[in-house]
Amino acid sequence: MSTTDSPARSRAPWWFNLAGQLLEPWMRIRRDPAEPAALLKAGIPVCYVIERDGLSDALILERACREAGLPSPMQPLSGTRRKRSVFALARRDGWLFGRNRKRSPNEPLGQLVRSLEGDPERDVQIVPVSIYVGRAPTRESGWFSVLFSENWVVVGRFRRMLALLLNGRDTVVHFSTPVSLRTVVNEAGEVRPERLTRKIGRVLRTHFRRIRAAVIGPDLSHRRTVVDSVLNAEPVRAAIAATAAKENISQAKAWRRAHDLVMEIAADYSHPVVRSASFLLSNFWNKLYDGIHMHHFEKARAAAPGHEVVYVPCHRSHADYLLMSYQLHMSGVVVPHIAAGVNLNLPVIGPILRRGGAFFLRRSFKGNALYSVVFNEYVAQLIDRGVPMEYFIEGGRSRTGRLLAPRAGMLAMTVRAFLRAPRRPVLFQPVYIGYEKLMEGKSYIGELSGKPKEKESLIGLLRGLKVLRQRYGHVALNFGEPIELNPMLDAASPDWRTDDPDAKPEWLGRVVDDLADKIQININRAADVNPINLLALALLATPKHAMAENDLLAQIELMKALLEELPYSDRMTLTSMDPPGIIAYGEQMGWIRRVRHPLGDVLVTEDEQAVLLSYFRNNVLHLTATAAWVASCFLNNRRMSRASVLRLGRIIYPFIQGELFLPWDADGFCTQLQATIDFFVRRGLLEATGEGRVLERGPGQDDAAFQLKIIARSLIQAFERYYITIAALVKNGPHTLTSAELENACTLTAQRLSMLNELSAPEFFDKALFRGFIQKLRENRIVWTDDAGKLDYDTGLEDMVRDARVILAREVRHSILKITPGGDGEKEPPEKPLPADATSEALHERHVTAEHHEHAPVEATVVETVTVEESANGETQSKD
């Protein structure tokens, strides 16, 4: 093969050469691969295949070949009657007003196939070439540039000319591996030439679609393609027929209703809109945030190829949607289709979100079988087409900063859609989103305090634009450990691939629940600890939300050391700021205020700010759960056996795990407790005696005791909620309350207690947390429902009330019992008799620990109870 092309170019029309010269200053070509000549075999004629017919594509191809030293596409194809060595799969009829249509490649391919007849030595190399103009605009690209960048739409000549003028310097020409036509003909055997040419054309079209999808995403630029597929699916046709029969309406009317539903749901993904939005959002984020940081993204990118990726982030703010899509787009990853509540389908905003990939779902499918079938089929179509998706399994934004209990509806739809057509394995990608300040903070406080949730509206959105006057610090997007669906299905049912895809297997619910828990656990494992989280953990643990500067510096240093020496996971990230820098940053962000004093400055957070800070404390509460439990055991006890800390930890762990989505089993939690105890001993917060079997803290005004108390109080409200629940149940007695009545009684008690004690955490009386705890009690068969729907329990629940005395101070327990509605006043369950071999010290102190369990060794029961007076003194906010 000769690479010289001067004879070929002498045959190109003069106007073609002139057009090439005019276009040259506006165009810069990047070849992929950089040296495509290495792909070709010498001595074999080359015929290029491009996706679309057009002068601009021909000019670009001719220049790319010239610069790479390849044969010109404008020369006659050797051994054939073709005047050019290029043909297109789609062409335009007419000059000014011609329409695009798919062109059957039978004619040029037929010529090539016939040229090989009679000469078994002759061959032609077919080289597919993909051309993209303006594939990836940068931040500096103008708005018009992103509008006229490459997409799936076959555009007209004028639009193509604008694309070349605006984006010609970002042109990519992708040369694919050549295909030997002789090899294809020989493998086809006796297949008729007409059938062979049709097959080659199909293969080429599939190839171009695959390359384009990899570069700019799947072809969903117009929702009609998906809408038609949904309406023609067998389950939807059956649902339409059932609706027509049930409501006695015509088939056409039922079909129109289904059509309206899918149009209400479906995204109308537009690449130009996504690129335009990315351009506009870059300025928006710069006004709003000081920086957006992604961690472990390269690990997520490496795991994605070959999978249907479903992004499952936590849901903290309306900004989550935009942040995820923007960051993925700017990182060169296809923007996912996002499930959004239909409440966001507002005028003006809804169509923009829809073109950015949002598809809308109603909060409830109940009572609308047709809607349920249509929505399920739409999700199935997205998965079948390999479209990446994103949804929030919490169902709504967290108002407390904690992960909410998952609502697994979307997960179930995804799993069932995959079981129906398991073409590409599904990969769930958890993402932790961490903020330093929330736009919705004040509205969250109002909702938790009982105010009704404001309905989204365009006017409300316009009012909300005042948020642009503030700065919201940094945002972190941490990509957690991905979860593959196939191994979970294999564990549940090794024969799932051969099961009936339309049947609902009995193990499906279990798999979906396990998957939901794994996602939440992996989100928490990828937590980002920012300066505001650390300030919240420290300051909110004091009665007046104030600490002397020296104490605050020491507490922050301790928390950072704990997270560094005992990292929660390898995906957790921790701020690099030192304690003085963290305090200065908190002042700069307006979270804390410095009060000057001759004996040393005091850092304080005001009442409303303290309530808002509780959100950021709750973001990372799970990271300090083991430390908080160990520290809690020494709130009211000077001395306690290591075995008692572990034994009580095993009892409480299922409830902490369910609330905070902790990753360990009971043994793993005890291992973490052991490591935490050893850390406290190394730091001097606890002293180990008796060969490490007995642990002791210093007196109440000791620095170590103060630091332990701050750590403990981050979780103490959870234990108070648990006590409220079991105390209310015991106080009212068995067969008295339903689950709903108990939940309501607990919520009212917590609200009342919060008002009397000025607690700064609205989630203290969050119904969802009480509901989750009651559910855990039922799962562990500590309580159960009788035939009348009332809750019953055995004496084990009373044991839990007694065990609470180790953690909760007497005045706290009495306050709860006094407020809790029921028939027995403030009386606690009576003490059990101590075993006959109990020590005189135990008899004197009436310890509530392992000595109440007859099988516990006497050696493990050593506990020294702190007096109420010392406990009260220990509540001081600072030692200065």
Side-chain angles (χ1 to χ4, degrees):
M1 177 189 71
S2 173
T3 59
T4 180
D5 52 6
S6 55
R9 285 190 176 78
S10 65
R11 299 186 183 217
W14 64 268
W15 54 266
F16 185 88
N17 293 328
L18 177 60
Q21 293 174 15
L22 293 173
L23 184 63
E24 191 158 344
W26 302 91
M27 194 165 56
R28 185 180 298 120
I29 294 174
R30 180 168 65 85
R31 299 185 302 275
D32 183 20
E35 299 296 335
L39 301 173
L40 303 181
K41 293 183 179 179
I44 302 176
V46 176
C47 183
Y48 303 98
V49 184
I50 56 178
E51 191 175 5
R52 300 167 180 175
D53 192 15
L55 175 61
S56 61
D57 281 9
L59 291 170
I60 292 170
L61 176 61
E62 197 277 337
R63 178 175 165 183
C65 291
R66 183 176 74 246
E67 292 177 351
L70 297 176
S72 170
M74 302 308 294
Q75 70 183 9
L77 184 59
S78 175
T80 71
R81 297 181 179 179
R82 292 196 57 78
K83 297 179 180 180
R84 302 284 182 261
S85 296
V86 61
F87 69 92
L89 292 184
R91 72 178 181 186
R92 175 179 290 276
D93 293 332
W95 174 250
L96 289 176
F97 304 105
R99 296 189 177 187
N100 293 308
R101 68 177 178 84
K102 292 293 181 184
R103 176 193 181 185
S104 171
N106 290 6
E107 181 183 343
L109 283 173
Q111 291 177 0
L112 296 179
V113 171
R114 287 192 295 272
S115 71
L116 304 185
E117 295 176 353
D119 188 352
E121 300 301 322
R122 185 185 297 277
D123 194 5
V124 175
Q125 299 180 86
I126 298 178
V127 182
V129 183
S130 304
I131 299 172
Y132 306 110
V133 177
R135 178 183 62 138
T138 63
R139 289 183 183 219
E140 290 74 30
S141 302
W143 186 64
F144 277 99
S145 296
V146 295
L147 274 180
F148 292 101
S149 56
E150 194 68 54
N151 56 70
W152 284 86
V153 179
V154 181
V155 298
R157 291 182 175 87
F158 179 72
R159 188 180 176 92
R160 188 64 164 178
M161 182 185 71
L162 287 177
L164 288 166
L165 294 177
L166 294 167
N167 296 315
R169 287 181 168 78
D170 184 28
T171 298
V172 177
V173 180
H174 177 85
F175 291 87
S176 297
T177 304
V179 177
S180 168
L181 188 58
R182 170 58 62 187
T183 301
V184 173
V185 170
N186 290 343
E187 289 177 352
E190 299 299 323
V191 175
R192 289 164 43 188
E194 295 82 4
R195 186 174 179 184
L196 177 60
T197 56
R198 288 197 298 270
K199 179 180 177 181
I200 296 173
R202 285 197 303 271
V203 171
L204 287 171
R205 282 192 292 272
T206 301
H207 169 80
F208 281 118
R209 281 198 299 269
R210 187 169 64 249
I211 296 296
R212 186 169 288 270
V215 173
I216 62 174
D219 181 10
L220 287 178
S221 53
H222 203 295
R223 57 178 166 170
R224 275 203 304 256
T225 59
V226 183
V227 169
D228 291 344
S229 299
V230 170
L231 293 174
N232 290 327
E234 181 58 37
V236 175
R237 291 205 306 268
I240 290 172
T243 300
K246 180 180 179 180
E247 300 186 16
N248 195 25
I249 59 178
S250 68
Q251 187 85 4
K253 186 174 182 179
W255 184 92
R256 284 195 299 273
R257 185 180 300 177
H259 179 271
D260 291 343
L261 290 176
V262 72
M263 291 296 286
E264 172 193 313
I265 294 166
D268 191 10
Y269 192 88
S270 166
H271 295 285
V273 169
V274 169
R275 288 183 170 90
S276 300
S278 71
F279 171 73
L280 297 173
L281 282 173
S282 63
N283 295 323
F284 179 74
W285 298 140
N286 288 336
K287 288 181 181 295
L288 216 58
Y289 299 113
D290 297 323
I292 303 171
H293 307 292
M294 291 201 300
H295 302 111
H296 310 298
F297 174 69
E298 291 306 321
K299 296 178 183 177
R301 189 203 293 268
H307 292 86
E308 161 67 18
V309 180
V310 180
Y311 296 94
V312 276
C314 59
H315 200 6
R316 302 269 161 82
S317 167
H318 278 315
D320 298 344
Y321 301 96
L322 300 176
L323 275 171
M324 277 286 296
S325 296
Y326 173 78
Q327 287 298 110
L328 290 173
H329 176 72
M330 297 305 290
S331 302
V333 175
V334 177
V335 173
H337 276 46
I338 306 171
V342 74
N343 57 307
L344 294 179
N345 191 16
L346 303 170
V348 181
I349 300 301
I352 294 175
L353 293 177
R354 200 184 290 277
R355 284 169 175 78
F359 61 96
F360 296 98
L361 72 157
R362 299 177 183 178
R363 291 300 181 188
S364 174
F365 295 4
K366 289 182 180 179
N368 197 334
L370 182 59
Y371 181 86
S372 178
V373 173
V374 166
F375 190 88
N376 273 275
E377 185 59 36
Y378 178 76
V379 172
Q381 288 290 332
L382 295 184
I383 293 174
D384 189 48
R385 292 163 181 257
V387 179
M389 287 197 299
E390 176 188 334
Y391 47 73
F392 305 94
I393 64 171
E394 295 169 275
R397 290 165 291 149
S398 171
R399 267 66 174 174
T400 65
R402 304 165 183 262
L403 287 183
L404 304 179
R407 298 181 180 181
M410 285 296 298
L411 286 178
M413 292 181 205
T414 304
V415 174
R416 294 204 67 180
F418 173 72
L419 291 175
R420 196 180 78 177
R423 293 185 178 87
R424 300 179 67 192
V426 176
L427 184 81
F428 293 92
Q429 179 58 66
V431 184
Y432 175 95
I433 305 178
Y435 296 92
E436 293 178 348
K437 187 177 279 190
L438 280 176
M439 290 180 281
E440 301 96 333
K442 291 188 177 181
S443 67
Y444 286 177
I445 294 174
E447 290 172 33
L448 286 170
S449 301
K451 293 181 181 177
K453 177 180 176 292
E454 280 191 32
K455 188 176 180 181
E456 284 80 4
S457 66
L458 188 58
I459 294 175
L461 180 68
L462 294 175
R463 286 201 197 107
L465 292 177
K466 61 185 178 182
V467 301
L468 294 175
R469 302 172 190 167
Q470 302 182 44
R471 300 290 291 186
Y472 291 86
H474 295 80
V475 183
L477 274 68
N478 283 11
F479 288 78
E481 187 73 29
I483 302 166
E484 294 189 32
L485 179 59
N486 279 14
M488 297 187 69
L489 295 176
D490 291 336
S493 173
D495 301 324
W496 65 268
R497 291 175 179 84
T498 58
D499 291 344
D500 180 4
D502 295 323
K504 184 177 180 181
E506 53 87 19
W507 45 263
L508 179 64
R510 186 173 66 254
V511 168
V512 171
D513 289 342
D514 290 346
L515 176 60
D517 284 339
K518 274 192 173 184
I519 289 171
Q520 299 294 72
I521 287 170
N522 283 10
I523 289 175
N524 266 349
R525 285 168 59 88
D528 174 73
V529 185
N530 62 47
I532 310 307
N533 300 138
L534 293 173
L535 287 171
L537 282 169
L539 286 172
L540 296 185
T542 61
K544 293 188 177 180
H545 310 131
M547 288 180 75
E549 185 172 18
N550 289 338
D551 291 339
L552 183 55
L553 288 169
Q555 195 68 31
I556 292 173
E557 189 277 328
L558 173 66
M559 296 304 302
K560 284 198 68 176
L562 174 68
L563 295 171
E564 288 169 347
E565 293 187 34
L566 302 177
Y568 190 79
S569 81
D570 60 349
R571 302 245 176 174
M572 184 201 79
T573 53
L574 177 63
T575 177
S576 60
M577 286 186 185
D578 60 8
I582 289 173
I583 291 176
Y585 188 70
E587 291 183 83
Q588 175 191 331
M589 291 286 291
W591 282 116
I592 58 177
R593 180 172 60 88
R594 180 181 294 270
V595 179
R596 303 288 180 181
H597 194 276
L599 299 181
D601 290 355
V602 173
L603 282 309
V604 62
T605 180
E606 307 294 350
D607 292 341
E608 186 176 275
Q609 293 292 78
V611 177
L612 289 170
L613 270 182
S614 68
Y615 192 98
F616 300 94
R617 178 197 60 192
N618 293 342
N619 289 168
V620 296
L621 207 54
H622 59 286
L623 302 179
T624 61
T626 53
W629 169 252
V630 174
S632 294
C633 291
F634 295 90
L635 271 177
N636 302 298
N637 307 291
R638 282 281 301 278
R639 184 183 299 116
M640 192 168 185
S641 70
R642 185 186 291 251
S644 293
V645 174
L646 300 180
R647 179 188 66 79
L648 292 172
R650 281 184 177 272
I651 294 173
I652 202 70
Y653 181 63
F655 309 108
I656 304 176
Q657 182 188 34
E659 184 171 319
L660 299 179
F661 299 100
L662 302 181
W664 312 287
D665 57 13
D667 291 337
F669 182 64
C670 285
T671 301
Q672 290 296 118
L673 290 179
Q674 293 275 27
T676 304
I677 290 170
D678 294 340
F679 171 82
F680 284 160
V681 171
R682 288 196 304 272
R683 297 283 301 202
L685 275 67
L686 293 175
E687 181 182 352
T689 59
E691 298 180 346
R693 293 191 299 271
V694 179
L695 304 169
E696 183 175 357
R697 68 158 171 84
Q701 293 303 304
D702 183 79
D703 283 351
F706 178 76
Q707 289 188 316
L708 277 177
K709 178 175 295 185
I710 297 299
I711 294 174
R713 287 178 64 86
S714 66
L715 203 60
I716 200 67
Q717 288 180 355
F719 303 139
E720 290 175 359
R721 274 189 280 101
Y722 300 163
Y723 187 76
I724 287 172
T725 307
I726 56 180
L729 196 53
V730 170
K731 191 174 179 181
N732 283 276
H735 311 290
T736 305
L737 299 175
T738 65
S739 292
E741 290 169 343
L742 177 60
E743 179 186 317
N744 189 56
C746 292
T747 304
L748 293 174
T749 301
Q751 284 178 338
R752 178 77 169 168
L753 195 66
S754 179
M755 292 168 64
L756 293 173
N757 292 277
E758 297 184 358
L759 295 176
S760 62
E763 83 276 0
F764 181 65
F765 46 85
D766 184 9
K767 270 191 175 184
L769 295 177
F770 285 109
R771 188 181 307 123
F773 179 63
I774 296 168
Q775 180 60 31
K776 277 293 178 184
L777 289 173
R778 297 176 67 170
E779 288 176 7
N780 288 275
R781 294 297 298 167
I782 296 172
V783 303
W784 57 89
T785 305
D786 62 16
D787 294 338
K790 305 292 186 179
L791 293 175
D792 192 11
Y793 58 89
D794 59 21
T795 55
L797 194 69
E798 296 179 358
D799 291 340
M800 292 182 66
V801 177
R802 296 187 186 95
D803 285 336
R805 293 171 182 160
V806 178
I807 307 301
L808 301 181
R810 180 178 298 173
E811 60 270 27
V812 173
R813 303 196 310 270
H814 285 185
S815 295
I816 291 173
L817 287 168
K818 182 177 181 179
I819 297 171
T820 303
D824 294 332
E826 301 178 40
K827 186 177 180 182
E828 286 192 274
E831 298 275 1
K832 283 186 177 179
L834 292 173
D837 58 351
T839 64
S840 59
E841 181 185 7
L843 288 168
H844 176 70
E845 298 289 352
R846 298 295 301 178
H847 305 145
V848 191
T849 51
E851 74 272 20
H852 287 199
H853 297 259
E854 296 179 358
H855 303 294
V858 175
E859 183 181 42
T861 68
V862 181
V863 175
E864 182 180 339
T865 305
V866 183
T867 63
V868 173
E869 290 75 20
E870 180 182 340
S871 177
N873 292 336
E875 293 294 328
T876 54
Q877 59 191 320
S878 172
K879 298 176 295 305
D880 289 343

